[in-house]
Structures are given as C-alpha cells and as structure tokens.
Coordinates of all heavy atoms in Angstrom, one line a residue:
V1 N 41.9 72.2 35.7 CA 41.2 73.4 36.0 C 40.6 74.0 34.7 O 39.5 74.5 34.7 CB 42.2 74.4 36.6 CG1 41.5 75.8 36.8 CG2 42.6 73.9 37.9
A2 N 41.3 74.0 33.6 CA 40.8 74.6 32.3 C 39.5 73.9 31.9 O 38.6 74.5 31.4 CB 41.9 74.5 31.2
R3 N 39.5 72.6 32.1 CA 38.3 71.8 31.7 C 37.1 72.3 32.5 O 36.0 72.4 32.0 CB 38.5 70.3 31.8 CG 39.5 69.8 30.8 CD 40.0 68.4 31.2 NE 39.0 67.4 30.8 CZ 39.2 66.1 30.9 NH1 40.4 65.7 31.5 NH2 38.3 65.3 30.6
R4 N 37.3 72.5 33.8 CA 36.2 72.9 34.7 C 35.8 74.4 34.4 O 34.6 74.7 34.3 CB 36.6 72.8 36.1 CG 35.6 73.1 37.1 CD 36.0 72.8 38.6 NE 37.3 73.2 38.9 CZ 37.7 74.4 39.3 NH1 36.9 75.4 39.3 NH2 39.0 74.6 39.6
V5 N 36.8 75.3 34.2 CA 36.5 76.7 34.1 C 36.0 77.0 32.6 O 35.0 77.7 32.5 CB 37.7 77.5 34.4 CG1 37.5 79.0 34.1 CG2 38.1 77.3 35.9
L6 N 36.8 76.5 31.7 CA 36.5 76.9 30.3 C 35.5 75.9 29.6 O 34.8 76.3 28.6 CB 37.8 77.0 29.5 CG 38.8 78.0 30.0 CD1 40.1 77.8 29.2 CD2 38.3 79.4 29.9
G7 N 35.5 74.7 30.0 CA 34.7 73.7 29.4 C 35.5 72.7 28.5 O 36.6 73.1 28.0
E8 N 35.0 71.5 28.3 CA 35.7 70.5 27.5 C 35.9 71.0 26.0 O 36.9 70.5 25.4 CB 34.8 69.3 27.4 CG 34.7 68.5 28.7 CD 35.9 67.8 29.1 OE1 36.6 67.3 28.2 OE2 36.1 67.6 30.3
S9 N 35.1 71.8 25.5 CA 35.1 72.1 24.1 C 35.9 73.4 23.8 O 36.0 73.8 22.6 CB 33.7 72.3 23.5 OG 33.0 71.1 23.7
H10 N 36.4 74.1 24.8 CA 37.1 75.4 24.5 C 38.4 75.1 23.9 O 39.1 74.1 24.2 CB 37.3 76.1 25.9 CG 37.7 77.5 25.7 ND1 38.9 77.9 25.5 CD2 36.9 78.7 25.8 CE1 39.0 79.2 25.4 NE2 37.8 79.7 25.6
I11 N 38.8 75.9 23.0 CA 40.1 75.7 22.2 C 41.3 75.7 23.2 O 42.2 74.9 22.9 CB 40.2 76.8 21.1 CG1 41.3 76.3 20.1 CG2 40.5 78.2 21.7 CD1 41.3 77.1 18.8
T12 N 41.3 76.5 24.2 CA 42.4 76.5 25.2 C 42.5 75.2 25.9 O 43.6 74.7 26.1 CB 42.3 77.7 26.2 OG1 42.2 78.9 25.4 CG2 43.4 77.7 27.2
T13 N 41.3 74.6 26.2 CA 41.3 73.3 26.9 C 41.9 72.3 25.9 O 42.7 71.4 26.3 CB 39.9 72.9 27.3 OG1 39.4 74.0 28.2 CG2 39.8 71.6 28.0
L14 N 41.5 72.3 24.7 CA 42.0 71.3 23.7 C 43.5 71.4 23.5 O 44.2 70.4 23.5 CB 41.3 71.5 22.4 CG 39.8 71.2 22.3 CD1 39.2 71.6 21.0 CD2 39.5 69.8 22.6
K15 N 44.0 72.7 23.5 CA 45.4 72.9 23.3 C 46.2 72.3 24.5 O 47.2 71.7 24.4 CB 45.7 74.3 23.1 CG 45.4 74.9 21.7 CD 45.7 76.3 21.6 CE 45.4 77.0 20.3 NZ 45.8 78.4 20.3
M16 N 45.7 72.6 25.7 CA 46.3 72.2 26.9 C 46.4 70.7 27.0 O 47.4 70.1 27.4 CB 45.7 72.8 28.2 CG 45.9 74.3 28.3 SD 45.0 75.0 29.7 CE 46.0 74.4 31.0
R17 N 45.3 70.0 26.6 CA 45.3 68.6 26.7 C 46.2 68.0 25.6 O 46.8 67.0 25.9 CB 43.8 68.1 26.5 CG 42.9 68.5 27.6 CD 41.5 68.0 27.5 NE 41.6 66.6 27.8 CZ 40.7 65.7 27.3 NH1 39.8 66.1 26.5 NH2 40.8 64.4 27.6
W18 N 46.3 68.6 24.5 CA 47.2 68.2 23.4 C 48.7 68.3 23.9 O 49.5 67.3 23.8 CB 47.0 69.1 22.2 CG 48.0 69.1 21.1 CD1 48.6 68.0 20.6 CD2 48.4 70.2 20.3 NE1 49.4 68.3 19.5 CE2 49.3 69.7 19.3 CE3 48.1 71.5 20.3 CZ2 49.9 70.5 18.4 CZ3 48.7 72.4 19.4 CH2 49.6 71.8 18.4
I19 N 49.0 69.4 24.5 CA 50.4 69.6 25.1 C 50.7 68.6 26.2 O 51.8 68.0 26.2 CB 50.6 71.0 25.5 CG1 50.6 72.0 24.3 CG2 51.9 71.2 26.3 CD1 50.4 73.4 24.7
Y20 N 49.7 68.3 27.0 CA 49.9 67.4 28.1 C 50.1 66.0 27.6 O 51.1 65.3 28.0 CB 48.6 67.4 29.0 CG 48.6 66.2 30.0 CD1 49.4 66.2 31.1 CD2 47.7 65.2 29.8 CE1 49.4 65.2 32.0 CE2 47.6 64.1 30.7 CZ 48.5 64.1 31.8 OH 48.5 63.1 32.7
A21 N 49.4 65.6 26.6 CA 49.5 64.3 26.0 C 50.9 64.1 25.3 O 51.6 63.1 25.4 CB 48.4 64.0 25.0
E22 N 51.3 65.2 24.6 CA 52.6 65.2 23.9 C 53.7 65.0 25.0 O 54.7 64.3 24.8 CB 52.8 66.4 23.1 CG 52.1 66.3 21.8 CD 52.5 67.5 20.8 OE1 53.0 68.5 21.3 OE2 52.4 67.2 19.6
A23 N 53.6 65.7 26.1 CA 54.6 65.6 27.2 C 54.7 64.2 27.7 O 55.8 63.7 28.0 CB 54.2 66.6 28.3
L24 N 53.5 63.5 27.7 CA 53.6 62.1 28.2 C 54.3 61.2 27.2 O 55.2 60.4 27.6 CB 52.1 61.6 28.3 CG 51.4 62.1 29.5 CD1 49.9 61.6 29.5 CD2 52.0 61.7 30.8
Y25 N 54.0 61.3 25.9 CA 54.6 60.4 25.0 C 56.0 60.8 24.6 O 56.8 59.9 24.1 CB 53.7 60.0 23.8 CG 53.5 61.0 22.7 CD1 54.5 61.4 21.8 CD2 52.3 61.6 22.5 CE1 54.3 62.3 20.8 CE2 52.1 62.5 21.5 CZ 53.1 62.9 20.6 OH 52.9 63.8 19.6
Y26 N 56.4 62.0 24.8 CA 57.8 62.4 24.5 C 58.7 62.1 25.7 O 59.9 62.1 25.6 CB 57.9 63.9 24.2 CG 57.8 64.1 22.7 CD1 56.6 64.3 22.1 CD2 58.9 64.0 21.9 CE1 56.4 64.5 20.7 CE2 58.8 64.2 20.5 CZ 57.6 64.4 19.9 OH 57.5 64.6 18.6
D27 N 58.1 61.7 26.8 CA 58.9 61.4 28.0 C 59.5 60.0 27.9 O 58.8 59.0 27.8 CB 58.0 61.5 29.3 CG 58.7 61.1 30.6 OD1 60.0 60.9 30.5 OD2 58.0 61.1 31.6
T28 N 60.8 59.9 27.9 CA 61.5 58.6 27.7 C 61.2 57.7 28.9 O 61.4 56.5 28.7 CB 63.0 58.8 27.4 OG1 63.6 59.5 28.5 CG2 63.3 59.5 26.1
G29 N 60.8 58.3 30.0 CA 60.6 57.5 31.2 C 59.1 57.1 31.3 O 58.7 56.6 32.4
A30 N 58.3 57.5 30.3 CA 56.8 57.2 30.4 C 56.5 55.7 30.5 O 57.2 54.9 29.8 CB 56.1 57.8 29.2
T31 N 55.6 55.4 31.3 CA 55.2 54.0 31.5 C 54.2 53.7 30.3 O 53.7 54.6 29.7 CB 54.5 53.8 32.8 OG1 53.3 54.6 32.9 CG2 55.4 54.1 34.0
L32 N 53.8 52.4 30.2 CA 52.8 52.1 29.2 C 51.5 52.7 29.5 O 50.7 53.1 28.7 CB 52.7 50.6 29.1 CG 53.8 49.8 28.4 CD1 53.6 48.3 28.4 CD2 54.0 50.3 26.9
D33 N 51.2 52.8 30.8 CA 50.0 53.5 31.3 C 50.0 55.0 30.9 O 48.9 55.5 30.4 CB 49.7 53.3 32.8 CG 49.2 51.9 33.2 OD1 48.7 51.2 32.3 OD2 49.4 51.6 34.3
D34 N 51.1 55.6 31.0 CA 51.2 57.0 30.6 C 51.0 57.1 29.1 O 50.3 58.0 28.6 CB 52.6 57.6 30.9 CG 53.0 57.7 32.3 OD1 52.0 57.9 33.1 OD2 54.2 57.7 32.7
L35 N 51.5 56.2 28.3 CA 51.4 56.2 26.9 C 49.9 56.0 26.5 O 49.4 56.6 25.5 CB 52.3 55.3 26.2 CG 53.8 55.6 26.4 CD1 54.7 54.5 25.8 CD2 54.2 56.9 25.8
R36 N 49.3 55.1 27.2 CA 47.8 54.8 26.9 C 47.0 56.0 27.2 O 46.1 56.4 26.5 CB 47.4 53.6 27.7 CG 47.9 52.3 27.2 CD 47.4 51.1 28.0 NE 48.1 49.9 27.6 CZ 49.0 49.3 28.4 NH1 49.3 49.8 29.6 NH2 49.7 48.2 27.9
E37 N 47.4 56.7 28.3 CA 46.7 57.9 28.7 C 46.8 59.0 27.6 O 45.9 59.7 27.3 CB 47.2 58.5 30.1 CG 46.4 59.7 30.5 CD 46.9 60.2 31.9 OE1 47.7 59.6 32.5 OE2 46.4 61.3 32.2
A38 N 48.0 59.1 27.1 CA 48.3 60.1 26.0 C 47.4 59.8 24.8 O 46.8 60.7 24.3 CB 49.8 60.1 25.6
A39 N 47.4 58.5 24.4 CA 46.5 58.2 23.2 C 45.1 58.4 23.5 O 44.4 58.9 22.7 CB 46.8 56.7 22.9
T40 N 44.6 58.0 24.7 CA 43.2 58.2 25.0 C 42.8 59.7 25.1 O 41.8 60.1 24.6 CB 42.9 57.5 26.4 OG1 43.2 56.1 26.3 CG2 41.4 57.7 26.8
T41 N 43.7 60.5 25.7 CA 43.5 61.9 25.7 C 43.4 62.5 24.3 O 42.5 63.3 24.0 CB 44.6 62.6 26.5 OG1 44.6 62.1 27.9 CG2 44.5 64.1 26.5
L42 N 44.3 62.1 23.5 CA 44.3 62.7 22.1 C 43.1 62.2 21.3 O 42.6 62.9 20.4 CB 45.6 62.4 21.4 CG 46.8 63.2 21.9 CD1 48.1 62.6 21.5 CD2 46.6 64.7 21.5
E43 N 42.7 60.9 21.5 CA 41.5 60.5 20.8 C 40.3 61.4 21.2 O 39.5 61.8 20.3 CB 41.1 59.0 21.3 CG 42.1 58.0 20.6 CD 42.0 56.6 21.3 OE1 41.2 56.5 22.2 OE2 42.7 55.7 20.8
D44 N 40.2 61.8 22.4 CA 39.1 62.6 22.9 C 39.3 64.0 22.3 O 38.3 64.7 21.9 CB 39.1 62.7 24.4 CG 37.9 63.4 24.9 OD1 36.8 63.2 24.5 OD2 38.1 64.3 25.8
V45 N 40.5 64.5 22.3 CA 40.8 65.9 21.7 C 40.4 65.9 20.2 O 39.8 66.8 19.8 CB 42.3 66.3 21.9 CG1 42.7 67.5 21.1 CG2 42.6 66.5 23.4
V46 N 40.8 64.9 19.5 CA 40.5 64.8 18.1 C 39.0 64.8 17.9 O 38.4 65.5 17.0 CB 41.2 63.7 17.4 CG1 40.6 63.4 16.0 CG2 42.7 63.9 17.3
R47 N 38.3 63.9 18.6 CA 36.9 63.8 18.5 C 36.2 65.2 18.8 O 35.3 65.6 18.0 CB 36.4 62.7 19.4 CG 34.9 62.4 19.3 CD 34.5 61.2 20.2 NE 35.2 61.0 21.4 CZ 36.2 60.0 21.6 NH1 36.5 59.2 20.6 NH2 36.8 59.9 22.8
T48 N 36.6 65.8 19.9 CA 36.0 67.1 20.2 C 36.3 68.2 19.2 O 35.5 69.0 18.8 CB 36.5 67.5 21.6 OG1 36.2 66.5 22.6 CG2 35.9 68.8 22.1
A49 N 37.6 68.2 18.7 CA 38.0 69.2 17.7 C 37.2 69.1 16.4 O 36.8 70.1 15.9 CB 39.5 69.1 17.4
R50 N 37.0 67.8 16.0 CA 36.2 67.6 14.8 C 34.8 68.2 15.0 O 34.2 68.8 14.1 CB 36.1 66.1 14.4 CG 37.4 65.6 13.8 CD 37.1 64.2 13.4 NE 38.3 63.6 12.8 CZ 38.7 62.4 13.0 NH1 38.0 61.5 13.7 NH2 39.8 61.9 12.5
R51 N 34.2 67.9 16.1 CA 32.8 68.3 16.4 C 32.7 69.8 16.6 O 31.8 70.5 16.0 CB 32.3 67.6 17.7 CG 30.9 68.0 18.1 CD 30.4 67.2 19.3 NE 31.3 67.1 20.4 CZ 31.5 68.1 21.3 NH1 30.8 69.2 21.3 NH2 32.3 67.9 22.3
V52 N 33.7 70.4 17.3 CA 33.6 71.8 17.7 C 34.2 72.7 16.6 O 33.6 73.8 16.2 CB 34.2 72.1 19.0 CG1 34.2 73.6 19.4 CG2 33.4 71.3 20.1
L53 N 35.4 72.4 16.2 CA 36.2 73.2 15.3 C 36.0 72.9 13.8 O 36.1 73.7 12.9 CB 37.7 73.2 15.6 CG 38.1 73.5 17.0 CD1 39.6 73.2 17.2 CD2 37.7 74.9 17.4
G54 N 35.7 71.6 13.6 CA 35.6 71.1 12.2 C 36.9 70.6 11.7 O 38.0 70.9 12.2
G55 N 36.8 69.8 10.6 CA 38.0 69.1 10.1 C 38.9 70.1 9.3 O 40.1 69.8 9.1
S56 N 38.4 71.3 8.9 CA 39.2 72.2 8.2 C 39.9 73.2 9.1 O 40.7 74.0 8.6 CB 38.3 73.0 7.2 OG 37.3 73.7 7.8
H57 N 39.7 73.2 10.4 CA 40.4 74.1 11.3 C 41.9 73.7 11.3 O 42.2 72.5 11.3 CB 39.8 74.0 12.7 CG 40.3 75.1 13.6 ND1 41.5 75.0 14.2 CD2 39.8 76.3 14.0 CE1 41.7 76.1 14.9 NE2 40.7 76.9 14.8
P58 N 42.8 74.7 11.3 CA 44.2 74.3 11.3 C 44.7 73.5 12.4 O 45.7 72.7 12.2 CB 44.9 75.7 11.3 CG 43.9 76.7 11.2 CD 42.5 76.1 11.3
L59 N 44.1 73.5 13.5 CA 44.5 72.6 14.7 C 44.1 71.2 14.6 O 44.8 70.3 15.1 CB 44.1 73.2 16.0 CG 44.8 74.5 16.5 CD1 44.1 75.0 17.8 CD2 46.2 74.2 16.7
T60 N 43.0 70.9 13.9 CA 42.5 69.6 13.8 C 43.5 68.6 13.3 O 43.8 67.5 13.9 CB 41.2 69.5 13.1 OG1 40.2 70.4 13.8 CG2 40.6 68.1 13.1
P61 N 44.2 68.9 12.1 CA 45.2 67.9 11.6 C 46.4 67.8 12.5 O 47.0 66.7 12.6 CB 45.6 68.5 10.3 CG 44.7 69.7 10.0 CD 43.9 70.0 11.2
K62 N 46.7 68.9 13.3 CA 47.8 68.8 14.2 C 47.5 67.8 15.4 O 48.3 67.0 15.8 CB 48.2 70.2 14.8 CG 48.8 71.1 13.7 CD 49.1 72.4 14.3 CE 49.7 73.3 13.2 NZ 50.1 74.6 13.6
F63 N 46.2 67.9 15.8 CA 45.8 67.0 16.9 C 45.8 65.5 16.4 O 46.2 64.6 17.1 CB 44.4 67.3 17.3 CG 44.2 68.7 18.0 CD1 43.0 69.3 18.0 CD2 45.3 69.3 18.7 CE1 42.8 70.6 18.6 CE2 45.1 70.5 19.3 CZ 43.9 71.2 19.3
K64 N 45.4 65.4 15.1 CA 45.4 64.0 14.5 C 46.8 63.5 14.4 O 47.0 62.3 14.6 CB 44.6 64.0 13.2 CG 43.1 64.2 13.3 CD 42.5 64.6 12.0 CE 42.5 63.5 11.0 NZ 41.7 63.8 9.8
K65 N 47.7 64.3 14.0 CA 49.1 63.9 13.8 C 49.7 63.5 15.2 O 50.4 62.5 15.3 CB 49.9 65.0 13.2 CG 51.4 64.6 12.9 CD 52.1 65.7 12.2 CE 53.6 65.2 12.0 NZ 54.4 66.3 11.4
A66 N 49.3 64.2 16.2 CA 49.8 63.9 17.6 C 49.2 62.6 18.0 O 49.9 61.7 18.6 CB 49.4 65.0 18.5
L67 N 48.0 62.3 17.7 CA 47.3 61.0 18.0 C 48.1 59.9 17.3 O 48.4 58.8 17.9 CB 45.9 61.0 17.7 CG 45.1 59.7 17.8 CD1 45.2 59.1 19.2 CD2 43.7 59.9 17.4
Q68 N 48.4 60.1 16.0 CA 49.1 59.0 15.3 C 50.5 58.8 15.9 O 50.9 57.6 16.1 CB 49.3 59.5 13.8 CG 48.0 59.5 13.0 CD 48.3 60.1 11.6 OE1 49.2 60.9 11.4 NE2 47.4 59.7 10.7
M69 N 51.1 59.8 16.4 CA 52.4 59.7 17.0 C 52.3 58.9 18.3 O 53.1 58.0 18.6 CB 53.1 61.0 17.2 CG 54.4 60.9 17.9 SD 55.7 60.1 16.8 CE 56.4 61.6 16.1
A70 N 51.3 59.3 19.1 CA 51.1 58.6 20.4 C 50.8 57.1 20.2 O 51.4 56.3 20.9 CB 49.9 59.3 21.1
R71 N 50.0 56.8 19.2 CA 49.8 55.4 18.9 C 51.0 54.7 18.4 O 51.3 53.5 18.8 CB 48.7 55.3 17.9 CG 47.3 55.6 18.4 CD 46.3 55.6 17.3 NE 44.9 55.8 17.8 CZ 43.9 56.1 17.1 NH1 44.0 56.3 15.8 NH2 42.7 56.3 17.7
T72 N 51.8 55.3 17.6 CA 53.1 54.8 17.2 C 54.0 54.5 18.3 O 54.6 53.4 18.4 CB 53.8 55.7 16.1 OG1 52.9 55.8 15.0 CG2 55.1 55.1 15.7
V73 N 54.2 55.5 19.2 CA 55.1 55.3 20.4 C 54.6 54.2 21.2 O 55.3 53.3 21.7 CB 55.2 56.6 21.1 CG1 56.0 56.4 22.4 CG2 55.9 57.7 20.3
L74 N 53.3 54.2 21.5 CA 52.7 53.1 22.3 C 52.9 51.8 21.7 O 53.3 50.8 22.4 CB 51.2 53.4 22.5 CG 50.4 52.3 23.3 CD1 51.0 52.1 24.7 CD2 48.9 52.7 23.4
G75 N 52.7 51.6 20.4 CA 52.9 50.3 19.8 C 54.3 49.9 19.8 O 54.6 48.7 20.1
A76 N 55.2 50.8 19.6 CA 56.6 50.4 19.7 C 57.0 50.0 21.1 O 57.7 49.0 21.3 CB 57.5 51.6 19.3
R77 N 56.6 50.7 22.1 CA 56.9 50.4 23.4 C 56.3 49.1 23.9 O 56.9 48.3 24.6 CB 56.5 51.5 24.4 CG 57.4 52.8 24.3 CD 58.7 52.7 25.0 NE 58.6 52.3 26.4 CZ 58.3 53.2 27.3 NH1 58.1 54.5 27.1 NH2 58.2 52.8 28.6
E78 N 55.1 48.8 23.4 CA 54.4 47.5 23.7 C 55.2 46.4 23.1 O 55.2 45.3 23.6 CB 53.0 47.5 23.3 CG 52.0 48.4 24.1 CD 50.6 48.4 23.6 OE1 50.4 48.3 22.4 OE2 49.7 48.6 24.5
A79 N 55.8 46.6 22.0 CA 56.6 45.6 21.3 C 58.0 45.5 21.8 O 58.8 44.7 21.3 CB 56.6 45.9 19.8
G80 N 58.3 46.3 22.8 CA 59.6 46.2 23.5 C 60.7 47.1 22.8 O 61.9 46.9 23.1
R81 N 60.3 47.9 21.8 CA 61.3 48.7 21.1 C 61.4 50.1 21.8 O 60.4 50.6 22.3 CB 60.9 48.9 19.7 CG 60.9 47.6 18.9 CD 60.7 47.8 17.4 NE 59.6 48.7 17.0 CZ 58.3 48.2 16.8 NH1 58.1 46.9 16.9 NH2 57.4 49.1 16.5
S82 N 62.5 50.7 21.8 CA 62.7 52.1 22.3 C 62.4 53.1 21.2 O 62.4 52.7 20.0 CB 64.1 52.3 22.8 OG 65.0 52.2 21.8
V83 N 62.1 54.3 21.6 CA 61.7 55.3 20.6 C 62.6 56.5 20.9 O 62.8 56.9 22.0 CB 60.3 55.7 20.8 CG1 59.9 56.8 19.8 CG2 59.3 54.5 20.6
V84 N 63.2 57.0 19.8 CA 64.1 58.2 19.9 C 63.6 59.3 19.1 O 63.2 59.1 17.9 CB 65.6 57.8 19.4 CG1 66.5 59.0 19.5 CG2 66.1 56.7 20.2
F85 N 63.5 60.5 19.7 CA 63.0 61.6 19.0 C 64.1 62.6 18.6 O 65.0 62.8 19.4 CB 61.9 62.4 19.8 CG 60.7 61.6 20.1 CD1 60.6 60.9 21.4 CD2 59.7 61.4 19.2 CE1 59.5 60.2 21.7 CE2 58.6 60.6 19.5 CZ 58.5 60.0 20.7
R86 N 64.0 63.2 17.5 CA 65.0 64.2 17.0 C 64.8 65.5 17.6 O 65.6 66.2 18.1 CB 65.1 64.3 15.5 CG 65.6 63.0 14.9 CD 66.0 63.2 13.5 NE 66.7 62.1 13.0 CZ 66.2 61.3 12.0 NH1 65.0 61.5 11.5 NH2 66.8 60.2 11.7
K87 N 63.5 66.0 17.7 CA 63.1 67.3 18.1 C 61.7 67.3 18.6 O 60.8 66.7 18.0 CB 63.3 68.3 17.0 CG 62.9 69.7 17.3 CD 63.1 70.6 16.1 CE 61.7 71.1 15.7 NZ 61.7 72.0 14.6
P88 N 61.4 67.9 19.8 CA 60.0 68.0 20.2 C 59.2 68.7 19.2 O 59.7 69.6 18.5 CB 60.1 68.8 21.6 CG 61.5 68.6 22.0 CD 62.4 68.5 20.7
P89 N 57.9 68.3 19.1 CA 57.0 68.9 18.1 C 56.8 70.4 18.1 O 56.7 71.0 17.1 CB 55.7 68.1 18.3 CG 55.7 67.8 19.7 CD 57.2 67.5 20.1
N90 N 56.7 70.9 19.3 CA 56.3 72.3 19.4 C 57.5 73.2 19.9 O 57.3 74.3 20.4 CB 55.1 72.5 20.3 CG 53.9 71.9 19.8 OD1 53.6 72.0 18.6 ND2 53.2 71.1 20.6
A91 N 58.7 72.6 19.7 CA 59.9 73.3 20.2 C 60.1 74.6 19.4 O 60.0 74.6 18.1 CB 61.1 72.4 20.1
A92 N 60.5 75.7 20.1 CA 60.8 76.9 19.4 C 62.2 76.8 18.8 O 63.1 76.1 19.4 CB 60.7 78.1 20.4
P93 N 62.5 77.5 17.7 CA 63.9 77.4 17.2 C 64.8 78.0 18.2 O 64.4 78.9 19.1 CB 63.8 78.4 16.0 CG 62.3 78.4 15.6 CD 61.6 78.2 16.9
P94 N 66.1 77.5 18.3 CA 67.0 78.0 19.2 C 67.1 79.5 19.3 O 67.1 80.2 18.2 CB 68.4 77.4 18.8 CG 68.0 76.2 17.9 CD 66.6 76.6 17.3
G95 N 67.2 80.1 20.5 CA 67.3 81.5 20.6 C 66.0 82.3 20.5 O 66.1 83.5 20.6
T96 N 64.9 81.6 20.3 CA 63.6 82.4 20.2 C 62.7 82.2 21.4 O 61.7 82.8 21.5 CB 62.9 82.0 18.9 OG1 62.6 80.6 19.0 CG2 63.7 82.3 17.7
A97 N 63.1 81.3 22.3 CA 62.2 81.0 23.4 C 62.3 82.0 24.5 O 63.3 82.7 24.7 CB 62.4 79.6 23.9

C-alpha cells in the first residue's frame, strides 16, 4: 500500500521495505526464496536510496549494511549452514519499547 500511495521513492516506503526484508532474513524459518526476496528487495532499496537520498544520507549506509547481511545469510543457508543472531538490528533496548 505504501508503494502505491506514497510512491517507490518515498522515505517511508524505503523504510518499510527495509524492515520487511530484515524480517525475512531474521526469520529462522525463512525459505531460500524468502532470503532471495529479502536480498532483491534490499538491492532495490539501496539503489533507490542512492538515487533519491544520496550516499551521504544517514539511512543509505544502514540499507547497505542490511543488504550485506541478507546476502551473508542467503549465502550461508545456500551452503547448508545455519545462522544464529544475537540481537535483531532495530530492537529497542529492554524496557523502552
């Protein structure tokens, strides 16, 4: 809905797609297709962020880091290795949520 209402390049749309992709690759039950979707989504988010926000915007490196993580998780799972996370990336400190 955000993509349709706000447009592909709106910052809210980019953030929502970032969070969606992170939810996919942090899900221990994610399929390889889910992980590929996460990586593809983040590739698009990074490309759009660079074009619209620029490389110096504070969110652009965060999007890039998420893309690197998605690719790492996908590569590990394709190789048959499991992935364990210590803490979700955007988790609020305990007692603040």
Side-chain angles (χ1 to χ4, degrees):
V1 174
R3 291 166 79 177
R4 181 175 42 83
V5 173
L6 301 173
E8 293 284 332
S9 301
H10 195 280
I11 194 164
T12 301
T13 303
L14 295 173
K15 286 179 180 180
M16 290 177 71
R17 295 184 72 208
W18 170 37
I19 292 166
Y20 169 71
E22 283 190 334
L24 287 175
Y25 72 72
Y26 271 90
D27 180 4
T28 57
T31 65
L32 288 176
D33 284 340
D34 291 336
L35 298 174
R36 288 183 191 105
E37 181 178 354
T40 301
T41 297
L42 287 165
E43 287 168 358
D44 187 50
V45 167
V46 168
R47 186 173 31 256
T48 303
R50 282 186 184 143
R51 180 176 46 82
V52 175
L53 304 174
S56 62
H57 190 281
L59 284 175
T60 303
K62 292 179 182 185
F63 296 154
K64 289 167 66 175
K65 184 175 180 182
L67 174 57
Q68 290 172 335
M69 180 67 96
R71 288 176 173 163
T72 298
V73 172
L74 176 59
R77 290 280 306 279
E78 285 177 332
R81 297 187 311 269
S82 62
V83 178
V84 177
F85 297 101
R86 292 195 171 113
K87 177 181 116 178
N90 296 315
T96 62

